[in-house]
Every structure is written in structure tokens, then in C-alpha cells.
């Protein structure tokens, strides 16, 4: 099984500021956390991060017929991007939306998620563990 893990804008800055919301660990720590888990589960993962909406769309499109699942934290684009929603719909790959923070307890503008309607599940507020739960859901879904 091959899973693509996509992280959106500013997640490369994890651990640098706002540790109260996003924790103290860095993006490199997150990558290691996910790759270690994938190895343990015997699945293949590709990690991708970009600050650019078009690059995220390109990566989703490139996954067409190549990946069995997508885990995506679109970060701020969650709340704005019809393009990323359409990309996920266009490839038809089972996708899980992840947020490190509990977005539902935060500002009003974070209550909208465009991508949610194209996802089989949304996980919020579990920190980095949310990515592992998303992988579990995709493995279960692929059985
Ligand atoms: O909780 C999440 O995972 C979010 O997707 C993170 C996004 C935010 O816009 C979403 O509403 C919820 C922000 C990622 C920015 O990460 C930072 C990392 C270090 C310092 C500041 C922000």
C-alpha cells in the first residue's frame, strides 16, 4: 500500500513558534514519526510539504493511479481552497483530512473546511498522532 502525506503552508515552521497550539516538535520530527510508523505497518509513504496552493494541486494530481490513499493537512488552505477540494475529487483517492490543533475550538474562520466533503474522515486535535490515526483509517479502508 502506498500513502501520500501532504502538508500545507507554514507546517515547515512547526516547533519554531506557537508551541502551545502546535507543540514543540519540528516538521523533520513529524516526517520521522510518520516514516517510522509506516515502516512498522509495512506500507510505503511519500511526504510532501509546500507553501504553494498550485504545488499542492500538482502533487495531488500526480498521485492519480499511483497512490492508494492520501493524508492531507492543507493548513490555512483548508479554509479557502476550492482548487485543493477539486483536485482531491478529481483523483478519486481515499483521503483523510488531519489537523494538529482542535480547529473546532478556534476562530470562526477555521470552522470552514472546503476539503472535508471529499474526505472519508477528518481528524483534529490529536497533535502528530492524528497522522498515524489517518494512516490506520486508510489501511482499514483498503482492506
Ligand atoms: O491545526 C492544524 O493542523 C492547522 O491545519 C494548522 C494551520 C492552520 O491554519 C489551520 O487552521 C489548522 C497552520 C499551520 C501553521 O503552523 C505554524 C507552525 C509554526 C508556527 C506558526 C504556525
Amino acid at each position: 500500500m502506498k500513502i501520500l502525506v501532504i502538508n500545507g503552508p507554514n507546517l515547515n515552521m512547526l516547533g519554531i513558534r506557537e508551541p502551545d497550539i502546535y507543540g514543540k516538535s519540528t516538521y523533520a520530527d513529524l516526517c520521522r514519526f510518520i516514516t517510522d510508523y509506516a515502516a512498522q505497518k509495512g506500507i510505503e509513504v511519500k511526504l510532501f510539504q509546500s507553501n504553494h496552493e498550485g504545488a499542492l494541486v500538482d502533487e495531488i494530481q500526480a498521485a492519480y493511479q499511483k497512490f492508494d490513499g492520501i493524508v492531507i493537512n492543507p493548513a490555512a488552505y483548508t479554509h479557502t481552497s476550492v482548487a485543493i477540494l477539486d483536485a482531491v475529487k478529481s483523483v478519486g483517492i481515499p483521503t483523510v483530512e488531519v489537523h494538529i490543533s482542535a480547529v473546532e475550538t478556534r476562530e470562526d474562520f477555521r470552522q470552514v473546511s472546503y476539503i472535508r466533503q471529499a474526505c472519508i474522515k477528518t481528524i483534529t486535535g490529536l497533535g502528530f498522532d492524528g497522522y498515524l490515526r489517518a494512516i490506520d483509517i486508510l489501511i482499514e479502508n483498503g482492506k
Side-chain angles (χ1 to χ4, degrees), residues 17-85:
R17 286 190 57 236
E18 303 194 69
D20 45 322
I21 301 175
Y22 301 114
K24 284 185 190 154
S25 302
T26 65
Y27 178 68
D29 295 331
L30 174 62
C31 292
R32 215 171 308 116
F33 188 60
I34 294 169
T35 49
D36 285 355
Y37 189 69
Q40 200 182 303
K41 289 280 171 181
I43 59 160
E44 213 179 298
V45 280
K46 178 183 178 187
L47 293 145
F48 179 79
Q49 189 278 328
S50 178
N51 296 324
H52 304 279
E53 187 175 20
L56 296 167
V57 169
D58 286 344
E59 190 67 22
I60 294 164
Q61 288 185 7
Y64 180 60
Q65 292 185 332
K66 292 198 175 68
F67 285 86
D68 308 300
I70 297 174
V71 174
I72 185 165
N73 182 347
Y77 289 137
T78 306
H79 318 301
T80 63
S81 181
V82 177
I84 293 174
L85 164 67

Side-chain angles (χ1 to χ4, degrees), residues 10-11 13 17-18 22 73 75-76 79 99-101 103 110:
N10 299 306
L11 287 164
M13 301 297 278
R17 286 190 57 236
E18 303 194 69
Y22 301 114
N73 182 347
H79 318 301
H99 298 287
I100 295 168
S101 66
V103 276
R110 293 187 208 274

Side-chain angles (χ1 to χ4, degrees), residues 6 12 132:
I6 298 179
N12 56 319
L132 307 192

